[in-house]
Amino acid sequence: MAADNANYLQVQNLVKWFGTDKAVDDVSFTVPKGNLLTLLGPSGCGKTTTLMSIAGLHKIDSGRITVGDVVYTDPDAGYFLAPEKRDIGMVFQSYAIWPHMTVAQNVAYPLEIRHVARAEIGDRVAEVLRLVGLGDMADKLATQLSGGQQQRAALARAIVSRPRLLLFDEPLSNLDLKLREQMRIELKRIQSEIGITSVYVTHDQAEALVMSDEIIVMSKGRIEQRGAPHAIYSRPVNRYVSNFIGVANLLKGRLVKVTGPGRGVIQTAEGGPPIEVPCMLDQDIDVGAEAVLSVRPENVRAVHEQSSETPVAGEVLEAVFLGNCVDCRVQWGNFEWKVLGHARDRFKVGEKVYLRLDPDHTLAVRP
């Protein structure tokens, strides 16, 4: 049977228990061939357990995992494919580089245990080292490499055997911030260039937004939302996703009116006297239902003049110039708004300002 490239990796109804703790609770998703999907969430959300189940390092309690035409695990059928037979490349947080070997020897190891011909090993090692930017470091000991270079070597070792699937377990968490930012771009470039279907695990939202074709946000062993990075950021489905991806002003309220398809008015008294805010609506919110108003700081405009478009009047608590923007905090009753203003904006602590909210970028989500 021909493989379905649109559903190359299939995880179906995955359940994994650790004693009385249900670490993964009926998780299902697919990954098209060549795509990179990120499992994103805090510690304990089930993302790493899901990854380890795909790798075969955990035996699942129920569900089914397949890659192309190959069944990895199916407990109902009594089938489990050993990890070493799954043809998977894996990049760990700890690099797992052997210190007594040269870079080339580290990278060659997966080919040697597969008994690939010596001449071919040399060619393939040279090819992947050029790809990851370590072509001139093949004869150096692994201990002579920087952290970023060791991570590149670990990636080269993971892809040299041309696996059917590539798994990343928080591979950048040990790097400093500047190097992490650089490696995000590099890892995505390399993954796209070689076209290996990949699953990436992280708790870092910036990594997920930069690198992913799709993101799955997880909580308590379940999927909260799946979508492209822009959709996840701009249209979160609930308070949890809105708060976990990026920064958001989150105000409790109630839907008082539907004004058109996907549009309505939320009434909130989070900061004092009730105000009514036009917004975009999640499809599952009915009139009268509780909702959460989610507004990103970059979608709030602080101005000095009041108008019909400025429902919130507040006082500047803080205004920090960051070079490309001004990071403000504005007190409205007992609620503190986060506002990202233009670099040319000038605000003084203690002055009164009015907040303009764009209805197209103000979203009502489920609590």
Side-chain angles (χ1 to χ4, degrees), residues 211-269:
M211 298 182 61
S212 311
D213 294 301
E214 282 196 299
I215 298 171
I216 287 177
V217 182
M218 297 186 68
S219 172
K220 299 178 181 178
R222 300 185 67 88
I223 293 174
E224 293 287 337
Q225 186 173 356
R226 173 183 179 172
H230 185 271
I232 292 277
Y233 184 83
S234 61
R235 295 301 299 262
V237 297
N238 57 30
R239 183 187 186 108
Y240 173 84
V241 176
S242 187
N243 198 36
F244 193 82
I245 298 285
V247 177
N249 297 287
L250 300 171
L251 301 92
K252 296 177 183 177
R254 180 174 58 88
L255 180 61
V256 294
K257 188 188 307 180
V258 173
T259 57
R263 294 179 179 271
V265 176
I266 292 288
Q267 184 183 79
T268 178

Side-chain angles (χ1 to χ4, degrees), residues 117-135:
R118 177 64 55 184
E120 185 180 350
I121 288 177
D123 291 342
R124 286 169 66 172
V125 168
E127 178 188 355
V128 296
L129 287 179
R130 282 195 300 271
L131 180 66
V132 302
L134 295 178

Side-chain angles (χ1 to χ4, degrees), residues 16-24 49 52-53 58-59 61:
K16 175 62 184 174
W17 290 85
F18 292 108
T20 59
D21 178 26
K22 201 174 192 179
V24 181
T49 301
M52 295 303 176
S53 298
H58 291 325
K59 288 190 175 181
D61 294 291

Side-chain angles (χ1 to χ4, degrees), residues 234-235 249 251 262-264 266 277-281 292-296 299-300 337 356-365:
S234 61
R235 295 301 299 262
N249 297 287
L251 301 92
R263 294 179 179 271
I266 292 288
V277 181
C279 61
M280 305 297 293
L281 297 178
V292 172
L293 208 58
S294 173
V295 195
R296 301 289 185 192
N299 294 325
V300 183
W337 283 84
R356 180 181 297 147
L357 311 179
D358 182 351
D360 290 337
H361 296 97
T362 301
L363 183 64
V365 300

Side-chain angles (χ1 to χ4, degrees), residues 5-25:
N5 286 344
N7 300 294
Y8 182 68
L9 167 63
Q10 297 189 58
V11 176
Q12 299 169 287
N13 307 112
L14 178 62
V15 174
K16 175 62 184 174
W17 290 85
F18 292 108
T20 59
D21 178 26
K22 201 174 192 179
V24 181
D25 185 5

Side-chain angles (χ1 to χ4, degrees), residues 63-89:
R64 194 168 190 263
I65 301 173
T66 60
V67 175
D69 295 330
V70 180
V71 178
Y72 277 7
T73 184
D74 187 346
D76 290 344
Y79 185 77
F80 177 82
L81 185 65
E84 65 272 17
K85 296 181 179 179
R86 297 191 178 199
D87 191 17
I88 286 175

Side-chain angles (χ1 to χ4, degrees), residues 47-281:
K47 60 186 186 298
T48 300
T49 301
T50 301
L51 189 82
M52 295 303 176
S53 298
I54 296 170
L57 301 178
H58 291 325
K59 288 190 175 181
I60 64 176
D61 294 291
S62 64
R64 194 168 190 263
I65 301 173
T66 60
V67 175
D69 295 330
V70 180
V71 178
Y72 277 7
T73 184
D74 187 346
D76 290 344
Y79 185 77
F80 177 82
L81 185 65
E84 65 272 17
K85 296 181 179 179
R86 297 191 178 199
D87 191 17
I88 286 175
M90 195 153 186
V91 183
F92 295 94
Q93 178 179 337
S94 61
Y95 314 147
I97 295 293
W98 288 291
H100 64 287
M101 292 183 179
T102 66
V103 173
Q105 289 168 338
N106 266 281
V107 175
Y109 185 76
L111 300 178
E112 291 174 349
I113 63 175
R114 288 170 171 82
H115 306 293
V116 175
R118 177 64 55 184
E120 185 180 350
I121 288 177
D123 291 342
R124 286 169 66 172
V125 168
E127 178 188 355
V128 296
L129 287 179
R130 282 195 300 271
L131 180 66
V132 302
L134 295 178
D136 58 348
M137 297 187 178
D139 296 326
K140 287 183 177 289
L141 285 174
T143 52
Q144 295 176 288
L145 302 183
S146 68
Q149 290 168 338
Q150 288 187 41
Q151 192 58 277
R152 290 169 187 263
L155 176 61
R157 186 179 58 191
I159 64 178
V160 71
S161 62
R162 300 166 186 166
R164 62 167 61 98
L165 193 64
L166 189 57
L167 305 180
F168 296 90
D169 183 19
E170 306 211 42
L172 305 183
S173 58
N174 286 338
L175 304 179
D176 63 53
L177 177 60
K178 189 171 183 178
L179 191 52
R180 264 203 321 271
E181 291 175 347
Q182 176 186 339
M183 285 301 297
R184 289 171 195 159
I185 304 298
E186 281 295 293
L187 282 180
K188 179 57 181 173
R189 177 189 65 79
I190 293 166
Q191 185 272 334
S192 298
E193 189 168 331
I194 60 180
I196 295 180
T197 309
S198 303
V199 180
Y200 191 101
V201 160
T202 185
H203 64 274
D204 187 321
Q205 53 178 295
E207 276 180 34
L209 291 170
V210 169
M211 298 182 61
S212 311
D213 294 301
E214 282 196 299
I215 298 171
I216 287 177
V217 182
M218 297 186 68
S219 172
K220 299 178 181 178
R222 300 185 67 88
I223 293 174
E224 293 287 337
Q225 186 173 356
R226 173 183 179 172
H230 185 271
I232 292 277
Y233 184 83
S234 61
R235 295 301 299 262
V237 297
N238 57 30
R239 183 187 186 108
Y240 173 84
V241 176
S242 187
N243 198 36
F244 193 82
I245 298 285
V247 177
N249 297 287
L250 300 171
L251 301 92
K252 296 177 183 177
R254 180 174 58 88
L255 180 61
V256 294
K257 188 188 307 180
V258 173
T259 57
R263 294 179 179 271
V265 176
I266 292 288
Q267 184 183 79
T268 178
E270 184 88 16
I275 61 170
E276 293 191 350
V277 181
C279 61
M280 305 297 293
L281 297 178

